[in-house]
Amino acid sequence: MNHPMRDLSLRACSLAAAALLAACGDSGKNDTEASSGASTGGSGSATEPGPTTTDPATTDPATTDTPTSNGPTSGPTSDPTTDATTVDPTATTTDPTTDTTTGAPVCPYTPVDGMPSIALELIANGFDRPVLTLPHPKQPDRLFIVEQGGHIKILEPGETTAPPDADDFLYVKVKGENNTDIGSEQGLLGFAFHPDFPDDPRVYINYQSQPGDGRTLVDEYKLDANNPDKVDPNSRRLVYSVGQPAGNHNGGMILFDSTGMLMIGMGDGGGSNGQFGTSRDPKSPLAKILRIDVEPDGKADSNTACGSCPMVDGFDFTVPPDNPHVGDNAYAPEVWASGVRNPWRFSIDPATDTMYIADVGQGTYEEVSIGKAGADFGWNIMEGNNCFKGAPCDTSAPVNGVNKDGMTAPITEYSHNDNGRCSITGAFVYHSCEVPAWDGVYFYSDYCSAEVFALKWDGNAVAEMGVVVDTGGEPIIGSGYTGYGDVIINTVVVDGMNTLQDGKIYRVVPGA
């Protein structure tokens, strides 16, 4: 990703799991990352499947199945079939989990008072590198699990294991499909429902195709007219595409903002030290947060991200007229924010419209920044709020402030020197009715250390909660949320052959 897929570094993460997924930074986010090869991480070093920075050959594969909480430990994992009201997945008119007056999901939990300790409850396992978990927009008990290997599966109420591939909601052939290819940062990385789904039956994915040249594609699909639990594979339309100079730092997160525009997270194209120059190039869509209208404007678009990238053409979208650089010929008009290295997972708080961008660093710092139109987050001059490799820069900006060079500081950062941390995996803001005191708390994690952190941002200051729970050594590859506002943490298990397997889905819950 380099983390998410970050460049797998030649240095190993302290936790076994870490090495696996690419959660670590480049060559520890070192400078050994490849400089060429669109379909691979480049020559000489592996890249992580999710975030990256570790040498899989040097990590200890031992992991545990039961996460631990910071503070009192949680009791036995509860039966996921008792956590929510079962719904008929074929129902299209009424949903017993939804309040008929407000339209909001009915609370399925007994609220817990105060600030309890935080634990993780296993919902389901058996997935292939689950990078994202989302609820059906109208049926909160149904979860859509995005697997990096190219599958999207529906976890129905009461199910506790991954459904078979034959029941896929969507499948696309991707690079990095092979589960033993732990160096891959490519694959199916993002998924989003149209804002009016299912009335507007369109969905969107972000992936690197196979066969192909490793470029990033954003596709649109429509539901099968005869089966609302599957997409029609013949309905594919290419919405956006970007050439990639290497196989890592692909970003991959997509989501719709409150205005109905699609936000796309693009990494810097791979390699180390921002070697392809995309982060400082305003015309390149790489190393950016992009914002587009998915409706076609009828023009055939084309772009190339850098001199060594393949030309991409034939896609069709519309530039939102309120994007910050519209009319400025120095910028690609779809650029909304710049200076990110690998925004593996970002999210928008529906209550405040605040965007949290968890950006994977290279060798030293991981960061969380607040998304703002026109912002420059500093890469590759800055890593977090620190000068990168001695580059001259201004580090005096306060939290979320803008320095004299026009670069925006993160709201929090952490070092790789602490507990073997190496690659950040962002999550979401908590809005579940189960623990009212956690409302508005943002969760994030580290791939290598398997720790989950939390903080609360009020728009001016950040209240750090630190490490609130860990997964017992399982690398954290992804995240998500439920229809009830619960935060989801996705992990993988690493076997003795450094193969990523048994992807697990956990819910953030109060501890015992």
Side-chain angles (χ1 to χ4, degrees):
M1 306 185 183
N2 232 333
H3 175 282
M5 313 225 61
R6 54 176 52 211
D7 329 295
L8 256 195
S9 107
L10 291 184
R11 75 180 181 84
C13 294
S14 63
L15 285 185
L20 281 324
L21 235 172
C24 295
D26 296 305
S27 318
K29 286 175 177 178
N30 290 338
D31 304 340
T32 58
E33 299 181 87
S35 60
S36 64
S39 63
T40 68
S43 60
S45 65
T47 56
E48 311 155 341
T52 63
T53 357
T54 63
D55 179 356
T58 64
T59 57
D60 179 358
T63 60
T64 59
D65 293 337
T66 304
T68 60
S69 62
N70 186 33
T73 57
S74 62
T77 301
S78 64
D79 180 354
T81 64
T82 65
D83 288 344
T85 304
T86 301
V87 298
D88 178 0
T90 64
T92 57
T93 55
T94 61
D95 182 348
T97 63
T98 301
D99 187 303
T100 56
T101 301
T102 66
V106 174
C107 182
Y109 315 117
T110 299
V112 176
D113 294 332
M115 289 288 287
S117 63
I118 295 173
L120 297 175
E121 174 188 75
L122 180 63
I123 293 178
N125 64 359
F127 292 92
D128 170 23
R129 295 161 291 165
V131 296
L132 185 65
T133 298
L134 298 177
H136 187 288
K138 299 297 184 181
Q139 299 166 347
D141 283 333
R142 307 181 73 207
L143 297 178
F144 288 66
I145 315 298
V146 179
E147 297 182 327
Q148 191 179 350
H151 303 264
I152 297 179
K153 300 181 182 299
I154 303 176
L155 186 68
E156 300 288 2
E159 290 184 349
T160 58
T161 58
D165 290 352
D167 294 338
D168 280 353
F169 173 73
L170 181 151
Y171 168 70
V172 61
K173 192 168 183 61
V174 298
K175 282 186 174 291
E177 182 175 10
N178 184 352
N179 189 23
T180 63
D181 181 13
I182 62 173
S184 174
E185 292 184 28
Q186 300 177 316
L188 179 57
L189 305 180
F191 171 64
F193 294 98
H194 188 278
D196 296 324
F197 186 92
D199 294 332
D200 188 323
R202 291 182 288 176
V203 298
Y204 300 83
I205 58 174
N206 181 317
Y207 67 107
Q208 287 76 45
S209 63
Q210 173 66 37
D213 54 19
R215 58 182 172 149
T216 289
L217 307 174
V218 176
D219 283 357
E220 173 188 275
Y221 286 89
K222 294 179 181 178
L223 290 182
D224 187 319
N226 299 311
N227 187 347
D229 291 340
K230 290 184 178 293
V231 301
D232 176 0
N234 296 317
S235 66
R236 175 184 180 264
R237 180 177 74 88
L238 180 60
V239 176
Y240 191 81
S241 189
V242 179
Q244 295 283 357
N248 49 0
H249 306 184
N250 292 294
M253 186 70 185
I254 56 174
L255 54 75
F256 284 91
D257 69 11
S258 60
T259 68
M261 299 297 104
L262 187 67
M263 312 297 290
I264 306 170
M266 294 300 309
D268 67 4
S272 60
N273 306 320
Q275 69 191 71
F276 298 112
T278 59
S279 57
R280 296 293 103 203
D281 180 0
K283 284 189 175 294
S284 172
L286 297 182
K288 311 294 191 299
I289 303 295
L290 309 178
R291 180 173 180 263
I292 67 171
D293 185 337
V294 296
E295 301 302 335
D297 62 8
K299 304 173 184 177
D301 294 287
S302 65
N303 67 40
T304 183
C306 64
S308 60
C309 303
M311 175 64 77
V312 176
D313 56 24
F315 52 92
D316 197 354
F317 70 99
T318 297
V319 174
D322 59 344
N323 269 8
H325 303 296
V326 168
D328 184 348
N329 292 332
Y331 282 83
E334 64 267 33
V335 170
W336 186 79
S338 60
V340 291
R341 181 177 175 278
N342 194 8
W344 174 242
R345 303 291 84 168
F346 62 85
S347 60
I348 294 178
D349 180 358
T352 64
D353 213 24
T354 302
M355 177 187 283
Y356 294 82
I357 303 171
D359 193 18
V360 180
Q362 180 161 307
T364 309
Y365 295 100
E366 306 298 304
E367 67 185 273
V368 177
S369 296
I370 299 299
K372 291 179 286 189
D376 178 354
F377 297 107
W379 178 253
N380 62 340
I381 294 173
M382 304 188 77
E383 185 182 20
N385 197 30
N386 308 273
C387 299
F388 179 68
K389 290 188 175 296
C393 74
D394 173 21
T395 60
S396 65
V399 166
N400 198 41
V402 179
N403 69 16
K404 66 181 182 181
D405 300 315
M407 298 174 184
T408 300
I411 61 169
T412 192
E413 64 180 27
Y414 63 81
S415 169
H416 291 188
N417 295 328
D418 299 327
N419 203 29
R421 298 165 185 168
C422 74
S423 181
I424 194 169
T425 302
F428 290 78
V429 173
Y430 187 92
H431 285 301
S432 174
C433 60
E434 187 170 26
V435 184
W438 294 350
D439 190 65
V441 170
Y442 171 70
F443 288 83
Y444 60 105
S445 60
D446 188 84
Y447 174 86
C448 291
S449 70
E451 298 167 311
V452 178
F453 309 80
L455 60 78
K456 194 161 188 178
W457 170 250
D458 67 4
N460 296 298
V462 60
E464 301 272 7
M465 298 170 66
V467 177
V468 294
V469 71
D470 67 66
T471 68
E474 296 172 9
I476 301 171
I477 186 176
S479 60
Y481 61 96
T482 74
Y484 300 105
D486 303 293
V487 172
I488 295 294
I489 300 296
N490 297 344
T491 72
V492 289
V493 172
V494 180
D495 70 9
M497 299 300 292
N498 285 339
T499 299
L500 303 179
Q501 58 183 348
D502 195 14
K504 298 181 180 181
I505 313 300
Y506 290 99
R507 183 172 73 92
V508 172
V509 298

